[in-house]
Amino acid sequence: MSNKISDTLTFECETGNYHTFCPISCVAWLYQKIEDSFFLVVGTKTCGYFLQNALGVMIFAEPRYAMAELEEGDISAQLNDYEELKRLCLQIKKDRNPSVIIWIGTCTTEIIKMDLEGMAPKLETEIGIPIVVARANGLDYAFTQGEDTVLAAMAHRCPNRNLLIEKKELFIKDSTIQDLFSFLPLKKKEENIRLKKMEKHSPLVLFGSLPSTVASQLSLELKRQSIQVSGWLPAQRYSDLPSLGCEVYVCGVNPFLSRTATTLMRRRKCKLIGAPFPIGPDGTRAWIEKICSVFGVETQGLKEREQEIWENLKDYLNLVRGKSVFFMGDNLLEISLARFLIRCGMIIYEIGIPYLDKRYQAAELLLLKNTCKDMSISMPRIVEKPDNYNQIQRMRELQPDLAITGMAHANPLEARGINTKWSVEFTFAQIHGFTNARDILELVTRPLRRNDNLEILGWNNLIKKEII
Amino acid sequence: MKLAYWMYAGPAHIGTLRVASSFKNVHAIMHAPLGDDYFNVMRSMLERERDFTPVTASIVDRHVLARGSQEKVVDNIVRKDKEECPNLIVLTPTCTSSILQEDLQNFVNRASLISNSDVILADVNHYRVNELQAADRTLEQVVRYYLEKAHKERTLDQSITKEPSANIIGIFTLGFHNQHDCRELKRLLQDLNIKINQVIPEGGSVQDLQNLPKAWFNLVPYREVGLMTAIYLEKNFGMPYISTTPMGIVDIADCIRQIQKHVNNLALNKTFHYESYIDQQTRFISQAAWFSRSIDCQNLTGKKAVVFGDATHAASITRILAREMGIRVSCTGTYCKHDGEWFKEQVKGFCDEILITDNHTEVGDMIARIEPSAIFGTQMERHIGKRLDIPCGVISSPVHIQNFPLGYRPFLGYEGTNQIADLIYNSFTLGMEDHLLEIFGGHDTKEVITKSLSTDTDLTWNYESQLELNKIPGFVRGKIKRNTEKFARQNNITNITVEIMYAAKEALSA
């Protein structure tokens, strides 16, 4: 195990013995995002126990999700899957009347080969509620990839964008405007120019689940560059899913959505804009610039805007400059966050990541590389499918100023004098766009600020035996 | 299939892991898919554990699904053996892996040939037992393994200690107030001049297990975990055990009298008398008996309460409420369905009705129907209570982080009686205060303190920005509104749009 820091991006792959959340945890944020949905996790007690503990207080708030808990009879096929699921879905329909039921397949349904995809269309016509199937299981995926599987499944349900109809509508709209403003030719012209400006580019659909405030912030940033976002996947309601088709451009806002991107390209024939992700002011600017360049729009005031945000971060930047970070890796946001932190002047020893799609993240990786060059900092090593045990050994040698890690390791590392930040918070906090750059640094600096306050007490090592 | 939102007891492997990680220098390897190592998070967060939880996963992924684990499990066991040098490695199947029906025992046999550690396979059926039953079973399995091993190696010494001594069985990690209870039990036994032979599994070493039979008797404080081990030790080594939970003054006395009986049976030329100790503690050291007698407690007479929890705690608290404090228990219940008969017998005559279920909606409906003045239950009942505006004291798992207090809060022993009395009394008075406040119109008049800092005359919020404002969580909305308006005034803006809101956030958060 070498701890040398190289000057090219190195990719490694370890054993995959790492701690992360089960991908079914995506129901936690998705049920809140899609207001008229109901998530049914088809799995065992283990899945239920995880959700109940991971979601904490949310579970007491009558959430729109439930377990279809498999019992011995289901496993040994003494009970009929279809009849059982029908019974539960009818009950859900009666109690909650959702616009869509999303079945989350788990490890168990994979192993017993329960044909969820086959049963869903049949049951859908029988009970009259759309049923979307997503296989978000721990055999194949990690944590945030759960959202990816759900969105990929939803991409199939987006309505088809029919060019002809749309054009006709536009024509009608245009002529009514003409009628209305015929007595005021000047205004009409203005209106037409405005309309033209808005419709100058092909439709753009963004994918990735974000809190609605963050989504509207990003839409607004693009609007400033006169780019209209015609829809989001997912939308606030299932019935508002955006229409897709071959002339639609799509762009991801999160680094873990590679399946969704693939589905949008291959199955819905959309054109993917490969951009860095709008995390941090640098990422946001690069993201907007890339979108603008695809639509041939000259960006305006973007550089100044980024500068202004950096200006606002000054107090935090003073805290982080020159400090080192170690990402253990569990949520796939790592590359983007590391890139932002390097731009902030931090040193990254290692970027652990569960899975790296080099094509989907290509632009982000390039930006990372360029950022390292700009900051004249050596390139971090990227470790796919990390091994937590080995990582802890490496950390013992490197003694980073901050470890970004899961909750299983946070307290033991703190007890050994290593500052930690729980990685899960980055998935729940608002970190996208210019406006929220400060929130990322708020999270990153919190352990540093707290421990600066305690430093003077000299109680950094709180275990009896020095193990790390 | 069952529609489920919440469960009282976790899946079987959690029980096994709790036992394994309670022992010193025992490592558990889960045969599980990615993400099933959630136990580590619970232990690290709830118990605020300083050390890495000795649990790793041998990951079941697509490859394993296609070709079987092959060398993977054995390699992982051998690797852990080298890295951590544990005394024992427990291979733990999960519900997912148990459907795969791989011959895990075979892996264990192979691994134990190569590794220095002992290796066993946790023997639990994931579809038939829950967390508590599995923990009970695993503890017995580990104890049996080491006693049989010692027997085979002829290192088993069956002579008992010179002075009376006891094993405490069933204290373990993530148990409800277990650490505090353990300290209190040790103190109790010390007061009775009884030495502690061993406490298992928490902090125990598997290599010392062969000395278990040296104790004069076993004390099993909790019904759920430890009973199987005690029965095994009784059957094979003739060790008597006491399974009366020393919770509440009457039961503590009962427990001590049983100890007296067993000790005197074995003592050769000495008799032990504990009655005066019981009397002294009951009337003067513990405050609970006096408290029940004091006029404060009079107000609680006949108040209605509901109890729900694991079998041990629910039964004991029911009896304390009814027998020691004169409170009317309208309904008591447990989620330990497997122990229902025992529970019914224990609470007979102390309550109006009994509910045995693991469905939280049934419990909720029961509470709504009875409308008690206070609830004593788990975190779930606490939330039911919040919804119905009924105070709740938490007396049993499942619990949250606030139920792992740093201060000394035993439920067992004489100090435990004080703690319980406080808990009960505080729950009821809070309820009464609330009630009185409602009658007399609340703490103060709200008009005075909610004077708004902004006037609505010079600034207008357009429709979108109002919508946006309403999306912001209530507790910060006021602050955001004020900040935005401050920003707008500074910049001579009168019409607040969504853009202005974000601009304000960027400008003011600096």
Side-chain angles (χ1 to χ4, degrees):
Chain A
M1 178 190 331
S2 94
N3 292 318
K4 268 201 203 114
I5 293 159
S6 65
D7 51 350
T8 52
L9 280 179
T10 52
F11 299 96
E12 285 172 48
C13 188
E14 281 191 308
T15 62
N17 269 319
Y18 63 99
H19 166 77
T20 183
F21 273 11
C22 175
I24 58 172
S25 51
C26 68
V27 305
W29 62 87
L30 288 176
Y31 93 78
Q32 294 185 47
K33 174 72 194 179
I34 310 167
E35 286 166 355
D36 51 354
S37 62
F38 192 98
F39 285 79
L40 185 67
V41 183
V42 188
T44 60
K45 252 181 178 319
T46 306
C47 313
Y49 197 63
F50 163 71
L51 277 181
Q52 144 176 352
N53 280 294
L55 303 197
V57 276
M58 264 189 246
I59 203 115
F60 299 107
E62 293 238 3
R64 288 185 319 279
Y65 78 81
M67 292 289 309
E69 197 183 306
L70 300 170
E71 290 166 301
E72 204 164 9
D74 299 302
I75 306 295
S76 53
Q78 284 166 333
L79 296 167
N80 183 319
D81 299 337
Y82 184 79
E83 289 305 319
E84 290 293 300
L85 280 169
K86 183 176 158 191
R87 184 170 57 80
L88 300 193
C89 286
L90 282 173
Q91 196 183 332
I92 292 166
K93 185 183 175 184
K94 196 181 113 227
D95 295 349
R96 306 291 180 94
N97 196 27
S99 315
V100 59
I101 297 177
I102 294 138
W103 286 352
I104 303 286
T106 62
C107 307
T108 311
T109 58
E110 288 296 309
I111 294 172
I112 64 173
K113 301 202 172 11
M114 192 183 276
D115 183 20
L116 295 176
E117 274 98 343
M119 286 187 278
K122 246 167 82 186
L123 193 56
E124 184 171 312
T125 47
E126 203 169 337
I127 67 170
I129 295 179
I131 295 174
V132 174
V133 180
R135 300 179 179 197
N137 61 67
L139 294 168
D140 301 305
Y141 305 109
F143 197 12
T144 48
Q145 287 179 291
E147 176 182 323
D148 194 20
T149 62
V150 173
L151 296 190
M154 283 216 170
H156 291 283
R157 301 301 183 110
C158 294
N160 244 329
R161 190 180 176 93
N162 194 325
L163 241 186
L164 241 137
I165 287 174
E166 206 119 317
K167 270 198 176 146
K168 214 170 159 191
E169 267 177 4
L170 206 72
F171 177 70
I172 292 166
K173 213 160 134 200
D174 241 338
S175 55
T176 44
I177 286 167
Q178 245 164 5
D179 287 343
L180 262 173
F181 294 106
S182 55
F183 57 94
L184 261 179
L186 191 77
K187 255 223 169 125
K188 187 201 91 182
K189 229 181 215 168
E190 269 177 14
E191 191 68 23
N192 264 350
I193 290 165
R194 201 183 64 85
L195 256 177
K196 246 190 189 161
K197 216 173 167 186
M198 282 309 183
E199 300 290 339
K200 202 161 66 180
H201 60 78
S202 311
L204 170 68
V205 169
L206 301 179
F207 58 95
S209 159
L210 293 177
S212 58
T213 17
V214 182
S216 48
Q217 280 163 7
L218 285 182
S219 303
L220 207 63
E221 294 293 351
L222 288 172
K223 200 172 145 199
R224 282 190 185 159
Q225 308 295 339
S226 41
I227 287 183
Q228 193 72 20
V229 177
S230 46
W232 281 82
L233 173 69
Q236 204 69 13
R237 301 183 65 79
Y238 177 74
S239 36
D240 296 344
L241 282 178
S243 51
L244 298 174
C246 59
E247 79 285 12
V248 176
Y249 281 83
V250 291
C251 187
V253 296
N254 268 323
F256 45 77
L257 298 172
S258 59
R259 267 179 82 88
T260 310
T262 316
T263 310
L264 289 171
M265 280 192 300
R266 296 206 184 136
R267 308 296 301 273
R268 306 307 307 265
K269 308 295 175 207
C270 302
K271 298 185 184 79
L272 179 71
I273 302 175
F277 301 99
I279 292 169
D282 50 340
T284 309
R285 180 182 163 192
W287 183 74
I288 295 171
E289 275 175 348
K290 183 64 196 276
I291 293 173
C292 287
S293 77
V294 167
F295 292 128
V297 174
E298 192 86 24
T299 60
Q300 278 163 9
L302 210 50
K303 195 177 163 197
E304 294 74 25
R305 179 126 175 78
E306 189 197 350
Q307 204 45 48
E308 199 181 308
I309 299 291
W310 283 116
E311 215 46 50
N312 271 346
L313 298 177
K314 253 187 181 154
D315 49 341
Y316 279 150
L317 294 179
N318 289 336
L319 265 173
V320 299
R321 197 168 295 122
K323 298 252 167 55
S324 57
V325 184
F326 192 107
F327 281 90
M328 282 185 84
D330 70 348
N331 59 18
L332 285 93
L333 293 171
E334 290 88 0
I335 304 273
S336 313
L337 287 173
R339 178 260 303 150
F340 168 58
L341 294 182
I342 292 173
R343 179 62 71 182
C344 292
M346 298 187 93
I347 302 156
I348 311 285
Y349 287 140
E350 175 168 328
I351 307 175
I353 186 167
Y355 167 75
L356 180 61
D357 184 335
K358 284 184 195 155
R359 274 189 304 174
Y360 177 63
Q361 294 223 37
E364 183 64 80
L365 285 168
L366 187 67
L367 184 59
L368 171 69
K369 219 165 157 179
N370 291 338
T371 305
C372 288
K373 267 185 208 145
D374 286 355
M375 303 299 289
S376 40
I377 270 176
S378 48
M379 310 264 175
R381 56 195 269 167
I382 296 174
V383 181
E384 240 186 305
K385 295 174 106 200
D387 185 296
N388 281 166
Y389 183 86
N390 294 343
Q391 286 184 314
I392 286 164
Q393 304 308 313
R394 290 198 284 274
M395 238 187 270
R396 186 218 305 250
E397 288 178 44
L398 294 165
Q399 292 290 325
D401 294 309
L402 181 69
I404 295 181
T405 175
M407 287 195 270
H409 300 291
N411 266 339
L413 285 172
E414 283 285 348
R416 284 155 182 79
I418 290 186
N419 303 322
T420 58
K421 181 76 238 145
W422 314 331
S423 50
V424 178
E425 282 193 81
F426 291 104
T427 52
F428 291 116
Q430 307 191 344
I431 60 169
H432 292 78
F434 286 125
T435 318
N436 298 308
R438 206 176 163 81
D439 295 40
I440 308 177
L441 282 184
E442 165 70 27
L443 285 179
V444 169
T445 57
R446 195 176 295 157
L448 301 174
R449 283 178 286 137
R450 194 271 307 261
N451 291 350
D452 273 354
N453 290 340
L454 303 181
E455 198 70 54
I456 193 170
L457 299 170
W459 301 327
N460 291 335
N461 190 345
L462 290 156
I463 49 160
K464 285 183 182 151
K465 240 179 352 187
E466 180 59 18
I467 299 175
I468 187 166
Chain B
M1 259 178 236
K2 196 168 79 178
L3 200 60
Y5 301 88
W6 165 268
M7 61 185 94
Y8 284 101
H13 72 271
I14 297 285
T16 298
L17 296 180
R18 281 174 66 186
V19 168
S21 59
S22 295
F23 277 114
K24 251 192 306 198
N25 215 20
V26 170
H27 201 99
I29 294 183
M30 297 167 71
H31 190 236
L34 196 66
D36 270 4
D37 56 353
Y38 191 71
F39 175 76
N40 296 30
V41 176
M42 287 173 60
R43 191 152 179 274
S44 168
M45 295 306 292
L46 297 178
E47 290 258 47
R48 300 183 194 86
E49 200 32 76
R50 299 169 195 220
D51 276 317
F52 293 101
T53 302
V55 174
T56 45
S58 173
I59 305 279
V60 175
D61 56 13
R62 276 287 152 189
H63 297 291
V64 171
L65 220 54
R67 329 168 282 146
S69 293
Q70 298 190 345
E71 300 302 315
K72 201 172 181 179
V73 176
V74 177
D75 287 348
N76 275 316
I77 294 175
V78 174
R79 182 182 159 191
K80 256 321 132 193
D81 177 52
K82 289 217 179 74
E83 285 169 357
E84 314 253 331
C85 309
N87 300 124
L88 170 68
I89 292 175
V90 182
L91 183 60
T92 312
T94 54
C95 34
T96 312
S97 78
S98 65
I99 320 170
L100 288 175
Q101 300 194 323
E102 284 194 275
D103 189 359
L104 296 179
Q105 187 58 53
N106 174 38
F107 295 146
V108 164
N109 295 344
R110 275 166 51 203
S112 58
L113 293 177
I114 329 169
S115 68
N116 291 318
S117 338
D118 299 313
V119 190
I120 62 172
L121 173 67
D123 170 30
V124 284
N125 182 323
H126 287 264
Y127 291 92
R128 299 204 180 147
V129 298
N130 66 21
E131 172 185 356
L132 298 168
Q133 293 163 289
D136 201 13
R137 173 84 189 88
T138 305
L139 183 58
E140 192 250 11
Q141 196 190 350
V142 173
V143 168
R144 182 193 291 265
Y145 177 84
Y146 278 97
L147 285 172
E148 280 174 3
K149 190 180 170 199
H151 184 70
K152 234 183 272 164
E153 290 167 359
R154 299 182 184 286
T155 52
L156 194 60
D157 177 8
Q158 289 205 40
S159 62
I160 58 169
T161 54
K162 248 192 234 142
E163 299 297 317
S165 62
N167 297 320
I168 302 174
I169 299 177
I171 305 287
F172 68 141
T173 191
L174 292 171
F176 184 73
H177 292 241
N178 271 16
Q179 311 295 342
H180 312 282
D181 284 348
C182 181
R183 213 167 112 193
E184 187 63 21
L185 286 179
K186 281 181 181 167
R187 203 166 85 176
L188 180 73
L189 291 173
Q190 198 184 3
D191 284 353
L192 303 176
N193 274 321
I194 293 168
K195 296 243 160 1
I196 309 288
N197 185 49
Q198 273 179 46
V199 178
I200 59 167
E202 184 65 48
S205 159
V206 287
Q207 284 168 323
D208 297 338
L209 289 178
Q210 56 172 307
N211 294 325
L212 279 176
K214 284 187 178 304
W216 289 26
F217 65 94
N218 292 317
L219 183 58
V220 184
Y222 311 110
R223 173 106 198 132
E224 285 74 23
V225 181
L227 217 48
M228 266 179 97
T229 311
I231 291 169
Y232 164 77
L233 290 170
E234 186 188 44
K235 210 171 135 202
N236 287 274
F237 300 91
M239 294 178 77
Y241 70 88
I242 296 154
S243 63
T244 301
T245 305
M247 196 188 306
I249 290 173
V250 181
D251 283 350
I252 297 173
D254 183 19
C255 179
I256 294 176
R257 286 188 190 112
Q258 288 183 48
I259 292 174
Q260 177 177 287
K261 197 184 84 198
H262 291 310
V263 171
N264 285 333
N265 274 347
L266 287 170
L268 295 172
N269 39 25
K270 208 169 156 195
T271 38
F272 292 83
H273 301 285
Y274 295 144
E275 281 305 329
S276 63
Y277 173 77
I278 295 173
D279 183 61
Q280 177 77 7
Q281 289 285 335
T282 304
R283 291 198 297 142
F284 304 109
I285 308 295
S286 157
Q287 299 293 315
W290 158 235
F291 175 73
S292 309
R293 184 81 202 180
S294 73
I295 49 165
D296 246 357
C297 211
Q298 244 176 44
N299 291 337
L300 301 184
T301 313
K303 284 244 171 298
K304 278 196 293 185
V306 163
V307 182
F308 196 83
D310 63 18
T312 302
H313 288 87
S316 295
I317 295 291
T318 303
R319 287 201 299 252
I320 292 171
L321 288 168
R323 183 164 59 186
E324 296 177 17
M325 301 183 96
I327 290 160
R328 175 152 165 220
V329 181
S330 302
C331 182
T332 185
T334 181
Y335 57 83
C336 296
K337 278 160 88 176
H338 60 278
D339 218 8
E341 286 312 308
W342 176 86
F343 183 79
K344 280 182 193 159
E345 194 186 298
Q346 292 294 306
V347 297
K348 212 177 356 180
F350 295 111
C351 60
D352 299 345
E353 54 180 298
I354 297 170
L355 178 67
I356 292 174
T357 179
D358 54 5
N359 180 348
H360 75 274
T361 49
E362 260 179 69
V363 180
D365 291 346
M366 176 269 288
I367 293 172
R369 172 172 54 84
I370 290 175
E371 286 190 80
S373 313
I375 309 166
F376 298 95
T378 70
Q379 278 293 338
M380 192 63 196
E381 283 68 50
R382 199 170 76 90
H383 283 270
I384 294 170
K386 266 189 187 166
R387 241 189 259 167
L388 299 171
D389 260 336
I390 301 171
C392 177
V394 176
I395 52 130
S396 158
S397 317
V399 286
H400 281 173
I401 193 152
Q402 66 261 40
N403 302 111
F404 289 90
L406 301 176
Y408 189 47
R409 301 254 196 290
F411 269 64
L412 303 185
Y414 287 107
E415 178 55 30
T417 61
N418 294 338
Q419 297 291 341
I420 293 171
D422 276 345
L423 180 77
I424 292 172
Y425 183 68
N426 288 341
S427 304
F428 276 109
T429 46
L430 286 179
M432 290 217 299
E433 255 170 45
D434 251 16
H435 190 58
L436 289 175
L437 281 173
E438 208 164 275
I439 292 172
F440 295 112
H443 273 290
D444 45 26
T445 39
K446 289 201 173 81
E447 288 74 36
V448 185
I449 47 166
T450 53
K451 193 162 71 180
S452 177
L453 286 174
S454 54
T455 48
D456 294 327
T457 46
D458 58 334
L459 294 170
T460 48
W461 289 69
N462 75 357
Y463 178 69
E464 284 79 23
S465 63
Q466 270 175 20
L467 270 187
E468 195 67 21
L469 187 68
N470 284 332
K471 282 184 207 154
I472 292 160
F475 60 96
V476 284
R477 197 180 299 146
K479 187 180 159 198
I480 303 261
K481 187 169 184 230
R482 276 197 303 279
N483 282 347
T484 309
E485 292 184 349
K486 193 171 138 202
F487 175 82
R489 283 206 188 86
Q490 280 167 355
N491 293 284
N492 293 323
I493 297 163
T494 51
N495 191 15
I496 295 177
T497 61
V498 181
E499 283 95 333
I500 302 295
M501 285 178 74
Y502 298 148
K505 188 188 171 193
E506 284 161 26
L508 290 171
S509 60

